[in-house]
Amino acid sequence: MRSRVRRLKWKQGWKILQDVHDTGEKIGLYAAREADTSVGSQVSEWEELEELKHLQLIYARQPYFGRELRYFNQAPWWYKTEFEVPDQKVTDAVLKFTNVDYYGKVWLNGEFLGEHEGYSAPFSFNVKDKLVFGKKNYLIVKVSSPWDDEVELDAQDSRTHLVKRNMVKGTYEHSDTFIQRDVNPVGIYGKVELILTEEGVLEDQTDLKYKLDPDVRKADVYVETEARGLKSGETYDFNVKIREKESGLIKTEKTVQIMAEKAETGFKCELKVEDVRLWSTWDHGYPWMYQAELTLSRGKDILSSRTTNFAFRDIQIERNEKITRFWLNNRKLYIRGTSYFPDCYISAMTKERYLRDLLNIKAAGFNLVRVHVHTEQEVFYDLCDELGIAVFQDSEYNWTHPSTDEWAQRFADVYRENVKLLKHHPSLICWIIMNEPGCIDPDGNVRRRFMEENPGPALYREVQKMDPGRPIIKGSFCEDDLLSGDSHNYLGSLCGGEYADIYEQTEKLNTEYGFDAPGSSENLKTVPAVYHRLEKLVDDIPKIQEYQYKLLKYYTEHYRIQKYEPCSGYIQFMFIDLCPQSFYGLYDWWGIPKKGLQAILESNAPVGAFAKHKDYLDSLYIVNDTDGALGECELTWIITETLNGELVEKGSVKVEVPADSRVMVKTFEKEYGKGKKWNLTLILSDNSGKCMAKNTYQDICTLLSRVDGHPDRMSHEFGMRLYWA
């Protein structure tokens, strides 16, 4: 039958100008039809815009560094498009934007519709009474993403950490070799569409909740949504089908009737599902997904339908002074994670790039990603759902922001939209409200204000109310806070010292550790300015990558050996470089692996054999992160001289390895091997002799010293580490 809903989408056909003096509103630019070329106004002419993306990706010769990027944010931009609406009867017309970065004001035919703050959540306006049917309509949008000037306590020498970020947007002013100083994404991206309804349309977002029985085999499902454009006094049917996503099998179905009292009416439906299959991470089961198929009809006419993907799973957090531990489906979940921020510009990402990265993340043994201080496109979370990769989702709060009630409310408004947008994704197992609040604390009071006054307590309560079934970390890097409980550790890296300084340390849950190393010099050559600035150390890139490898291997195995005593997991920082000159990734920005990836491949698989060591051998361990017992296994160790390969020691031991366990299988005599040049090989076999895991250590009793010049020197023009160059 003919669709009752029509969608007009505008990806092309836009014009744009930059309002260099920000006078557009005063002179009525929102009503302009043609270019303003009069002498007095100094307003630029409208020019054609090829697509909707962050503007730096369209107009900048180099969008990832350079002082010329600052002009993108020093004045607002105006967008304009013209469109014609067929002369038809409609009961509802909604203008929807999925992504405007960051502040947006919208006019239709010269009439102000409203404004929005934030870049990751959609917003819309009802424009039924503002459209001109059968004639041209003019849509104009003012967009800005300005710089900030105020610094906490006016500590200009620590501006990087203490500038008061006035936007809820962790993707700017993070210039410590992560995001370059002059990069502040701005522009409309995603979709802009006009949704015309002859009669009845379901809202795009559905509130779907469920309650599992204690045996997690049955569930009560609660579906709630709204419909617009209904005719008052008419009776409508709201039908919900719950299907298995893969097979399409209908598990349950229910129809409710309601008489519309007004054009916008809410619908609720409660269903029971038997024999549910639980979503799990790939290493603990299978990511079983379901679909809720919603249909709105009147009589025999189907007016609107939509489908929401979801899953059943139970996620809990156990947290006290000694433990920060996650439980998935009533089983402990040991986290092997990596941070993810694949590009400064969210609009540069595609489904294909996301899929490439997530398949590599899974192949490297990670069962979780932390989406660091930003929000990705929703297709990313869809892929995590399907692949069984869990997600820690940061808010946009990073380091320092205003601590006023007014700003806290703005923050809550933006974050509330993100929670509403993403909370149906089963892969998302934890919200992180603030990242490193008061990271630099000049008066000893900044962190306390953020954590105890504003905005931490209010936002924690807000998110808990909106999403009561999902754990929350109030302030990441606040290990002693009982509503947080995770740590960041950069010994041997950003915090000085050496990586072996963590030897006797314990952590409940580590959510950041790592080291930045440049990637392939051949790739760097494709960005000549970056390559030239690093040219003096190009020959030393293999040494820097070797140090990254050693640090990551040492840290990762340190956390594996501490499994549940007390450590419940770790998140390496980061998986891939987010621009050509940001170097924390296991892969460079072009997707070419660094040696650091080898450390993860050796140390991050669900089953592994590890040596606890410093500048001597201490002990050997088997770690099993799977839900199944390995039975009787044999661990063989082979120690050889590094220089000539002569055998020093070979031995083996048989041991039972339970499910989800850590087993110490051998201890060496005190300071065994100190001062020696030894290689160590570990081979874990099952009782049939099949190899289950292997690990190697070159010159295990020699620890590398921290890279000269790290982390003290960087180029603020490029936003990159210089080491000793």
Side-chain angles (χ1 to χ4, degrees), residues 29 49 77 170 248 259 335 491:
L29 193 58
L49 182 67
W77 297 80
M259 179 178 288
I335 289 168
L491 280 170

Side-chain angles (χ1 to χ4, degrees), residues 139-154:
L139 175 62
I140 294 182
V141 187
K142 180 185 179 183
V143 179
S144 61
S145 186
W147 295 112
D148 294 312
D149 296 318
E150 188 179 358
V151 177
E152 188 79 37
L153 300 180
D154 198 29

Side-chain angles (χ1 to χ4, degrees), residues 215-228:
D215 63 358
V216 295
R217 298 301 300 166
K218 301 176 183 178
D220 294 322
V221 181
Y222 309 91
V223 180
E224 187 171 351
T225 192
E226 283 196 353
R228 305 187 313 270

Side-chain angles (χ1 to χ4, degrees), residues 279-289 328 362 366-368 381-391 427:
W279 185 95
S280 182
T281 54
W282 62 267
D283 57 335
H284 287 281
Y286 189 82
W288 294 105
M289 295 292 296
L328 178 62
K362 185 175 177 180
F366 293 115
N367 59 14
L368 178 141
Y381 302 93
D382 291 336
L383 290 170
C384 289
D385 293 343
E386 295 169 10
L387 293 171
I389 298 173
V391 175
S427 56

Side-chain angles (χ1 to χ4, degrees), residues 410-694:
R410 284 176 46 214
F411 181 23
D413 291 342
V414 173
Y415 198 38
R416 188 184 298 110
E417 290 183 337
N418 282 356
V419 172
K420 184 178 179 182
L421 176 69
L422 299 178
K423 69 178 185 177
H424 70 281
H425 289 284
S427 56
L428 201 163
I429 66 169
C430 181
W431 302 107
I432 296 179
I433 290 178
M434 299 181 289
N435 179 61
E436 297 184 344
C439 170
I440 302 294
D441 199 349
D443 63 356
N445 194 38
V446 174
R447 173 176 288 190
R448 187 200 62 78
R449 290 204 324 265
F450 296 161
M451 289 292 288
E452 298 178 18
E453 295 179 10
N454 261 328
L459 195 61
Y460 190 93
R461 292 191 297 269
E462 180 77 21
V463 177
Q464 199 172 40
K465 179 181 176 181
M466 288 188 67
D467 193 14
R470 189 175 270 120
I472 304 166
I473 290 175
K474 184 167 75 170
S476 186
F477 188 46
C478 299
E479 184 174 13
D480 295 330
D481 178 72
L482 293 182
L483 296 180
S484 304
D486 64 315
S487 55
H488 299 171
N489 199 332
Y490 286 99
L491 280 170
S493 180
L494 299 178
C495 296
E498 307 296 340
Y499 57 78
D501 292 345
I502 69 168
Y503 182 72
E504 296 295 346
Q505 287 190 359
T506 59
E507 296 172 65
K508 296 184 288 187
L509 172 66
N510 177 283
T511 52
E512 279 192 36
Y513 69 99
F515 184 85
D516 45 337
S520 161
S521 60
E522 291 303 307
N523 285 337
L524 290 171
K525 286 178 182 177
T526 65
V527 189
V530 170
Y531 181 79
H532 176 71
R533 188 65 185 90
L534 289 178
E535 198 165 9
K536 291 181 181 178
L537 62 79
V538 164
D539 291 341
D540 292 309
I541 288 177
K543 285 187 202 175
I544 302 171
Q545 287 200 16
E546 178 71 17
Y547 185 81
Q548 184 191 48
Y549 160 79
K550 289 281 192 180
L551 180 144
L552 291 177
K553 184 176 176 70
Y554 198 88
Y555 265 82
T556 304
E557 295 185 358
H558 174 77
Y559 296 132
R560 298 297 296 277
I561 288 169
Q562 284 189 13
K563 178 172 180 172
Y564 301 145
E565 294 188 10
C567 185
S568 63
Y570 52 85
I571 300 176
Q572 170 266 337
F573 189 88
M574 302 190 63
F575 186 72
I576 190 168
D577 295 342
L578 83 166
C579 61
Q581 76 281 8
S582 181
F583 301 142
Y584 283 97
L586 304 173
Y587 288 82
D588 69 14
W589 185 70
W590 294 268
I592 301 301
K594 306 174 190 176
K595 190 171 182 183
L597 177 64
Q598 182 181 329
I600 297 301
L601 294 175
E602 291 172 358
S603 308
N604 195 53
V607 175
F610 309 114
K612 182 179 180 181
H613 66 99
K614 200 171 183 183
D615 53 351
Y616 51 84
L617 278 172
D618 183 307
S619 46
L620 303 179
Y621 291 81
I622 299 169
V623 178
N624 175 21
D625 289 349
T626 73
D627 295 328
L630 302 183
E632 186 179 68
C633 298
E634 183 175 52
L635 181 66
T636 300
W637 62 93
I638 304 168
I639 302 173
T640 59
E641 296 280 358
T642 300
L643 298 178
N644 57 29
E646 290 185 2
L647 181 66
V648 175
E649 178 182 332
K650 180 178 180 180
S652 64
V653 64
K654 291 187 176 182
V655 63
E656 288 285 332
V657 181
D660 195 24
S661 66
R662 176 207 72 162
V663 181
M664 186 174 72
V665 297
K666 178 175 175 59
T667 57
F668 294 96
E669 64 187 51
K670 185 177 181 181
E671 296 192 349
Y672 184 61
K674 189 166 187 176
K676 302 291 187 180
K677 294 283 188 181
W678 286 352
N679 293 347
L680 171 65
T681 299
L682 301 177
I683 302 169
L684 179 65
S685 306
D686 65 15
N687 56 15
S688 70
K690 180 181 177 182
C691 180
M692 304 174 70
K694 184 175 77 70

